Amino acid sequence: MSITHLLEDFGGGSAVEVPDPGLSEEVVEEQRLVSFEKGYSAGWEDAVSAKDQEATRISATLASSLEDLNFTYHEAQTQLIESLDPMFKVLTSSVLPDAMSATFGHHIVDQLTDMARFQTDQAMQIVVSPSESHAVRALVAENISVPVKVQEDDTLAEGQAYLRVGASERELNSSALLESIHGSIDAFTYHVREDSQYG
């Protein structure tokens, strides 16, 4: 006995469409060309869109990296200044004053020599504190061959001197110079801290 009555018949009732014999090869080729153009245009638009998205992503990544780099630079600068601040304080409170004190007499001789360069026939005078007069007299005797009057003044502090050559005068003030250096360093570190806090 056969089982065909149990199976569905797919062969009957529906006709297979046969291509219209009225279409010429030119029309078919034109339809293919139109389909190709549509596919090519869609692919081109997808590629342009993908390129734009990639450029946007790269720009965002670059901007973020530059922001991080800028922050890192300011952070490193602030840490460097914070670590150098104690050294600046030691430098201005002990190293520079000692160095200036040790070389103050030589500085006086250099300044006086500079002032007398074109006025060798004029009277020369140095006014210093009593505590520095002996050392200054010894240096002047060693380094300057013309007579120089060294005078003491109780109102002058160590590191202060007045130089006169003829009508020209100069004031030397190591303490004021140290205060100026100290103030400049304080102002610099203050501005760096402010910039790092408030951008």
Side-chain angles (χ1 to χ4, degrees), residues 20-132:
D20 186 5
L23 293 176
S24 67
E25 276 187 43
E26 290 175 6
V27 173
V28 170
E29 187 61 32
E30 195 174 307
Q31 286 178 347
R32 281 187 196 152
L33 211 59
V34 167
S35 295
F36 175 78
E37 284 295 324
K38 284 181 183 176
Y40 182 81
S41 294
W44 183 264
E45 287 173 7
D46 286 348
V48 167
S49 174
K51 181 181 174 274
D52 289 345
Q53 288 175 357
E54 181 66 12
T56 302
R57 186 189 65 76
I58 288 172
S59 295
T61 303
L62 180 61
S64 175
S65 296
L66 288 175
E67 226 173 81
D68 291 346
L69 183 63
N70 191 28
F71 177 74
T72 304
Y73 168 76
H74 286 300
E75 192 175 70
Q77 184 184 34
T78 302
Q79 288 179 0
L80 176 66
I81 295 303
E82 291 293 332
S83 65
L84 289 177
D85 193 45
M87 183 200 65
F88 288 147
K89 283 185 170 54
V90 168
L91 184 69
T92 57
S93 64
S94 62
V95 175
L96 279 177
D98 291 347
M100 289 180 109
S101 177
T103 60
F104 186 64
H106 295 284
H107 189 56
I108 289 174
V109 170
D110 289 343
Q111 292 293 314
L112 193 65
T113 304
D114 182 55
M115 289 173 70
R117 184 172 301 158
F118 302 108
Q119 304 179 57
T120 53
D121 59 338
Q122 300 291 321
M124 293 187 245
Q125 180 183 15
I126 301 170
V127 182
V128 293
S129 69
S131 62
E132 293 177 321

Side-chain angles (χ1 to χ4, degrees), residues 126-144:
I126 301 170
V127 182
V128 293
S129 69
S131 62
E132 293 177 321
S133 64
H134 180 70
V136 169
R137 280 189 182 96
L139 280 170
V140 166
E142 288 176 23
N143 295 291
I144 298 177

Side-chain angles (χ1 to χ4, degrees), residues 110-183:
D110 289 343
Q111 292 293 314
L112 193 65
T113 304
D114 182 55
M115 289 173 70
R117 184 172 301 158
F118 302 108
Q119 304 179 57
T120 53
D121 59 338
Q122 300 291 321
M124 293 187 245
Q125 180 183 15
I126 301 170
V127 182
V128 293
S129 69
S131 62
E132 293 177 321
S133 64
H134 180 70
V136 169
R137 280 189 182 96
L139 280 170
V140 166
E142 288 176 23
N143 295 291
I144 298 177
S145 58
V146 295
V148 176
K149 182 179 179 184
V150 178
Q151 183 180 340
E152 296 178 2
D153 186 342
D154 292 334
T155 62
L156 295 179
E158 287 189 12
Q160 282 186 297
Y162 290 104
L163 311 178
R164 289 187 194 98
V165 176
S168 301
E169 291 186 0
R170 282 189 191 169
E171 177 186 2
L172 303 179
N173 191 338
S174 299
S175 299
L177 179 61
L178 282 171
E179 284 176 23
S180 173
I181 292 170
H182 187 69

